Each structure stands twice: as C-alpha cells, then as structure tokens.
Amino acid sequence: MNIRIPNLCSALALLLSTGILQSCKDNDFSFDNIDATMGLGSEQLELPGNNDTKEIALDDVVNLNNSDFVYIDDNGDYQIKMDGNSQEKATVSIDPFTIKSSPTTAKTILISQGDFEGKLAVLTMSGTTPAEVEDLNSVTCDQKINVTIKVPNTVRCVDELTLSLPSFLLIDHATNDGTNLSISNNTITLNNTVAGNHTMALYVKSIDFKTSSNLGSTSFDKNNHRVRLTAEIYLKGRLSKNNIINMGNLSSISGNATADLTITAATGRFHPVFRFDSFGSVALNNIPDFLSDKSVNMNLYDPHIRLDFNNSLPIAARVSGRMIARDAQNHAIATVDIPTFTVPTGNSVIVLHKQSETAPQGQTYVPVPGLGNLLKTIPDHIDFVDIKAEADNSQTATVKLGHNYDMAEQYSFSTPLQLDADAAIAYTDSIDDLNKTVKKLSFKESTVGDPTSINGSLKLEADITNRLPTYLTLTAWGTNLQGDSIPQSQLSIDVDKTVDAASDTQTPATTHLTITIKPQSNDVLHSLEGLQFRFRATASDANGNNAIVGKTINAKKQTITVKNIKLTKTGKLIGNFN
C-alpha cells in the first residue's frame, strides 16, 4: 500500500520548506549579513490554528497493490479471501470377501411308513473379512447353496418332503432339478419325490448375523477378521404304505450341502480411511504494505475457513488436520491444530471459525479458537496438511463391496478485515529531499557552554477526528544524507499521544495531537534529508485496554479529518540563502 500523507505529514514538510518560512517573517528581522543571512521571526512564532482538511477516506490514500487476497466489496468493506488452488480427492473401497463351506460327510435319515425327520445336511462355513469391517449386521450375495438328496430305490416315491433352513438365511428362490419351488418361512415342500438323486439350488439373497436360530448360528470375530456360520438343513417327511416297494428292508434318505458365497454388500460398522496428501494450499500474493510491516499483528477477530465436501461414502467421516502458515522460505510461522469434525455423506459445507456462533442453515460451524494465529504474521502461503479422514465406525450403514467411494474437498479462507484485541496493522511513509532547504537554515546557537548547542524546535498541533474503529499511533524519525536513521538523542521527534478510536462510524473520536521536532545541533539539522513516519492502527489503546473488536474496516465510510492545524517555531531561526 502506498500512503500519501497530504495533511498531517505534509504540514511538517511545509514547515521546513522555504515558502512557508518566508511567509512567517515579522518585523524583527536580524541581518548579520544583508546579502547572506537573515533572522526569521522572534524567539517564538505561532501561526493561527484555523487550517482544516476535508474528510480523508481510506480509499483515497490506500493502494492495495493489486493484491489477490485483499479487496473492497460493494459496501466498501475490506475483505480478505483466499481460494484453495485445487480440489482434493481421495478414494476408499472395501474388498468383497467369500464365505466357503468346509467338506462334511453325508447325513442319513431312516425312513419307514408314516412320518420321519432328521438332519439332512449341515453347512459349516467361514471366511476372512477385510480389515475395514468393524461389525456385521448382515451381508448380501446372489449365489446358491447346493443340496443333494438321494431317495432310495426301495420306494416308488416319498409322498412329502419339507426342508427347513435357519432364519438368518434369506432364500430368494429355489429349484429342484431345474423346477422352481415355492418357499414359505424358510421352508420348502416337495411332493411325490421319486427314487434317485435330486439336486436342489437354494439362492441366498442375504445372511443376517443378528438373528438367532435353533438350526444354526453365526459369529463375527473382529480381532481376527473372521466370519463363521453353521446352517442345518432339517428334513421332515411322510411315506405312505402304497409307495414302499420292499417292506422288509430298512431304507434311508441321504443328503449333503455345499456353498461358496461371494459377499457383494454388507451392513454393519466400517472403518475405511481416506488418504489425503493435503487439503491444498493458498498463496498470498502482492501483499499490501500495511500488512508487510514487521510490527503487524493480523490477529483477525473471526476468520472463516470454508470447506466444501462431497462424500459419496454412505457413512459420515471424522476429519482433522493441521494448518501451517509458512514464509517465502517455507519455514513454519504458525501452526493451528484443527479439531475433529464430522463430514456427513453427500454434499456439505463445514466452516472453521474463531468465534462461537450459530451456523446459518446448510452449514456446520466448527470453532477453532487459535485460527487467528495463521495471519498474525502475514505468510507467503498456508497449507492444510496432516489430514486424518476416516469413516465414523460408530455408525451403521450398508456399503457395496468392491465399489469406489470418493471424498472431494476444496477450501477457501475468508473474513472481513476485523481486528481482535491484540491486533495491529502498520504502514510507513516518508518525506524526502529536505536537505536542499534545511541546509540553509540554522537555529541561533548558544553563547555559553557548548557553542554548538541550540535551543530551537518546530511544533505542529492539530485536532484529529477519527472515524476508524482503531487507535492510531504515529512514530517518526529523521534520516541523514547517507540514508541512515538519525538517533532520537540527536533529532527527537515526539508525538505526545495516541489518536483515540471510534467505537462506531456515527460517533467519531477527536484527539488533540502535538508533534515536536527538536534538533540538538545545527549540524544535525543540516544533515537532515528525510522524515520517516510509521502509522500503527491497533484494536486496543496504548496500554492494551479498551479494545474495539469485530468492527469491519471500511474504505469509504471511515474517515480521518485534521482540524485546527497550528504551527509553532521556538527559538530564532537563521536562513542563509546565498
């Protein structure tokens, strides 16, 4: 930011210029050499304080240097906004797994005239689950249990066979030798089953791990990532006398079952982890001068970091990370830990912010009290790193196995320019090329003691009317012909107080300010080439009290007016204009 100081500072410069000094002559001229030197004024000379300036808005004197992160909105408010340089995305997938049956020996059931029953087959199945599975409620598949039944040739047919299966198996449909069978309450009934081998296919739609059954059991071992189940196929039958060929021989029905089920979806609790290198980085280019001074403390009142998420995983994610502000050499200036927050499934907006407040509809606010530290010293860029994004394993959801789920994120940093209690912005400017005038001026030197000492000063007084919600502190110092600062012990420039802040734009604050410039010798005066000024705007007063926070700084409505400008010279000033 290039600051022109057309009033307060220029008055000091004019005081040291030939034109104003010539206009200050009175009737007490002292001519030591009529052609060479003249005395300007008496020991004291005061100009009437009837000079005022117009209201000066910040927009009149502030140049943002084409900054890409500071701008002025339509209302005139200064805004800070930075967008992440890209959308970041990570993908998770939970692998399918299989549940296979172990070999078992065939079961036999003795049959005779009348009713009979017994276990036709027992399936013992197990499988290894992916590490992301924390608990299983149910699984989905689209495969079959193969059941073989051998009816002995000692009978013409069996009048009725009823197969019962565990209730945790959801059988979608079944066939016997290719013919569709009806299913009711996990039972299948066959009529007039003739002697010979029969193959039944029981198409399993899902397995419920939370339903108990007296025909088997299920279990899930999270620590060993193993799933097991035992399923009994129980047979009841009825054989009439007319269908028995040989009444004298014992007969039996035998059966077996096998299965190899590939699980394609599951309901339960899962813990997949999204692997993000970072959430991106924002760069701060073309930093305005008022933010680049070493004394700047840009502790903003309530900065906001907006995170736009699209989470296709049907489980909310828990996310945390760190934001690191770095300088141009990539050294860390400030680090802020971002606490864990929840990203729901679908599209969402998460806003990290410093103050505790209620979020508008459609957004979730996450308080981060230390967020203002990122800009206390203006960095070159801010990185969002060390991302931990994992599914909330306390939630129950249904996921497709082998399916890619994405989480996409993009973040932006935005806040109005509002200072917190310890914040300060600063800018400097200078008045140069003074030596061509001041080298011709001398104060009358002492006639006793140190003959080079002088007792003269220049003083500027004015009433400063401030509509900015910041206290203003002015410091100044001189520079010599070599461009070096002149110590205050040789050229003191004293500003007596801090300009009071306005609590709001309707109630400005007025401060009477006095600036005194006093050289210790004419040699110092003659070596003066320029004056350097630093203006520091703070939220708190000079004692760190009475902070005005959360007020947006405005480029058009908040102004400064300098009134009742009065210039005073103390001591006799000699001009040599040969």
Side-chain angles (χ1 to χ4, degrees):
M1 183 190 315
N2 296 318
I3 299 294
R4 293 175 56 254
I5 312 171
N7 304 292
L8 191 59
C9 299
S10 295
L12 289 172
L14 289 172
L15 185 61
L16 297 174
S17 69
T18 303
I20 196 69
L21 289 170
Q22 288 177 340
S23 70
C24 295
K25 294 183 289 184
D26 61 15
N27 295 325
D28 295 325
F29 293 135
S30 173
F31 299 98
D32 295 327
N33 184 321
I34 193 169
D35 295 325
T37 61
M38 68 181 91
L40 300 179
S42 60
E43 293 301 313
Q44 281 197 330
L45 178 64
E46 180 177 307
L47 296 183
N50 57 358
N51 300 301
D52 299 344
T53 70
K54 295 181 179 180
E55 286 189 331
I56 307 165
L58 290 182
D59 195 31
D60 295 332
V61 296
V62 170
N63 186 343
L64 295 180
N65 287 349
N66 296 318
S67 174
D68 66 351
F69 69 96
V70 181
Y71 70 97
I72 300 172
D73 67 15
D74 293 339
N75 188 50
D77 293 336
Y78 286 98
Q79 301 284 346
I80 295 177
K81 183 173 177 61
M82 295 164 280
D83 292 324
N85 52 13
S86 63
Q87 185 184 72
E88 305 297 327
K89 187 170 73 172
T91 301
V92 296
S93 179
I94 302 174
D95 292 335
F97 61 96
T98 58
I99 303 177
K100 297 182 179 181
S101 61
S102 303
T104 57
T105 57
K107 299 290 185 181
T108 58
I109 303 172
L110 293 176
I111 62 174
S112 59
Q113 180 182 342
D115 296 330
F116 57 88
E117 62 182 282
K119 293 179 182 179
L120 178 68
V122 177
L123 273 173
T124 302
M125 307 185 71
S126 63
T128 300
T129 61
E132 295 89 351
V133 180
E134 299 266 325
D135 190 22
L136 279 177
N137 287 13
S138 63
V139 297
T140 299
C141 54
D142 188 15
Q143 290 162 305
K144 60 186 178 179
I145 298 173
N146 292 312
V147 180
T148 59
I149 302 175
K150 185 177 182 180
V151 177
N153 57 12
T154 57
V155 298
R156 294 183 180 88
C157 65
V158 178
D159 299 70
E160 184 178 282
L161 291 175
T162 300
L163 285 73
S164 297
L165 293 102
S167 55
F168 53 73
L169 294 175
L170 176 58
I171 307 300
D172 182 62
H173 65 283
T175 63
N176 179 32
D177 296 332
T179 301
N180 288 329
L181 300 172
S182 62
I183 305 172
S184 177
N185 296 324
N186 260 29
T187 62
I188 301 169
T189 300
L190 295 84
N191 295 309
N192 302 318
T193 305
V194 299
N197 294 323
H198 301 275
T199 301
M200 299 181 64
L202 312 180
Y203 290 88
V204 181
K205 186 174 183 179
S206 65
I207 304 171
D208 190 339
F209 283 84
K210 300 300 182 181
T211 298
S212 60
S213 173
N214 59 357
L215 294 178
S217 62
T218 61
S219 66
F220 171 68
D221 183 350
K222 172 186 173 181
N223 295 328
N224 295 307
H225 311 296
R226 295 290 292 175
V227 61
R228 293 182 174 85
L229 67 85
T230 300
E232 298 178 3
I233 301 175
Y234 198 80
L235 179 69
K236 291 183 178 181
R238 179 172 58 82
L239 178 63
S240 64
K241 179 179 179 181
N242 293 336
N243 286 325
I244 300 175
I245 297 174
N246 188 341
M247 297 291 292
N249 294 331
L250 291 176
S251 299
S252 63
I253 289 179
S254 62
N256 207 343
T258 59
D260 188 349
L261 306 178
T262 298
I263 307 305
T264 58
T267 300
R269 294 187 292 109
F270 308 93
H271 194 219
V273 176
F274 290 97
R275 307 292 181 185
F276 285 95
D277 291 333
S278 74
F279 272 173
S281 177
V282 293
L284 287 73
N285 298 317
N286 302 326
I287 298 175
D289 292 343
F290 80 104
L291 297 182
S292 60
D293 191 278
K294 291 182 179 180
S295 67
V296 165
N297 176 359
M298 270 293 288
N299 187 3
L300 297 173
Y301 176 71
D302 192 20
H304 284 57
I305 294 176
R306 174 179 170 131
L307 299 160
D308 288 272
F309 285 98
N310 185 346
N311 176 20
S312 68
L313 184 70
I315 312 171
R318 292 172 174 166
V319 178
S320 62
R322 286 197 306 160
M323 300 195 75
I324 303 177
R326 301 183 186 273
D327 62 18
Q329 289 72 43
N330 212 37
H331 298 141
I333 300 173
T335 299
V336 176
D337 291 327
I338 305 303
T340 300
F341 57 89
T342 298
V343 176
T345 187
N347 293 316
S348 62
V349 176
I350 308 296
V351 179
L352 313 178
H353 67 117
K354 182 177 174 181
Q355 302 296 333
S356 179
E357 56 187 80
T358 302
Q361 186 175 2
Q363 297 184 9
T364 300
Y365 274 10
V366 179
V368 185
L371 205 57
N373 294 334
L374 292 172
L375 290 180
K376 278 192 170 184
T377 299
I378 300 299
D380 179 78
H381 56 282
I382 302 173
D383 301 329
F384 204 148
V385 296
D386 297 341
I387 305 302
K388 185 177 182 181
E390 53 190 8
D392 183 353
N393 59 356
S394 68
Q395 293 187 354
T396 299
T398 299
V399 297
K400 298 177 183 178
L401 303 182
H403 178 79
N404 286 340
Y405 292 103
D406 298 326
M407 180 187 288
E409 171 278 339
Q410 189 161 18
Y411 87 96
S412 60
F413 187 112
S414 66
T415 179
L417 185 53
Q418 299 172 339
L419 303 185
D420 211 345
D422 63 341
I425 57 178
Y427 49 86
T428 60
D429 210 328
S430 63
I431 298 173
D432 301 312
D433 202 25
L434 296 177
N435 192 255
K436 63 185 180 183
T437 298
V438 299
K439 69 182 180 181
K440 300 177 181 181
L441 303 175
S442 298
F443 280 99
K444 183 178 179 181
E445 295 180 345
S446 175
T447 57
V448 296
D450 184 354
T452 65
S453 66
I454 60 176
N455 186 22
S457 63
L458 306 173
K459 182 168 66 175
L460 171 67
E461 296 178 79
D463 293 324
I464 313 298
T465 300
N466 181 20
R467 291 185 181 275
L468 275 71
T470 59
Y471 298 86
L472 302 175
T473 302
L474 169 66
T475 55
W477 62 96
T479 56
N480 59 25
L481 290 167
Q482 290 74 40
D484 300 325
S485 297
I486 300 174
Q488 287 282 335
S489 60
Q490 298 178 25
L491 179 69
S492 67
I493 303 178
D494 177 69
V495 183
D496 68 335
K497 64 185 67 171
T498 294
V499 176
D500 288 336
S503 58
D504 58 71
T505 56
Q506 284 73 41
T507 311
T510 299
T511 304
H512 185 79
L513 196 69
T514 301
I515 302 173
T516 304
I517 301 178
K518 181 176 177 58
Q520 297 302 310
S521 69
N522 283 320
D523 288 342
V524 173
L525 181 61
H526 295 160
S527 67
L528 179 65
E529 170 64 12
L531 294 174
Q532 300 285 325
F533 301 92
R534 174 181 283 122
F535 295 85
R536 197 163 187 263
T538 59
S540 300
D541 63 21
N543 297 316
N545 300 319
N546 303 313
I548 298 174
V549 299
K551 302 292 185 181
T552 302
I553 297 179
N554 187 280
K556 301 175 182 179
K557 302 174 184 177
Q558 296 168 0
T559 61
I560 298 174
T561 307
V562 184
K563 297 181 178 180
N564 302 321
I565 302 171
K566 184 167 61 175
L567 307 176
T568 303
K569 170 186 72 68
T570 300
K572 180 166 287 190
L573 193 61
I574 308 298
N576 182 347
F577 299 104
N578 281 337

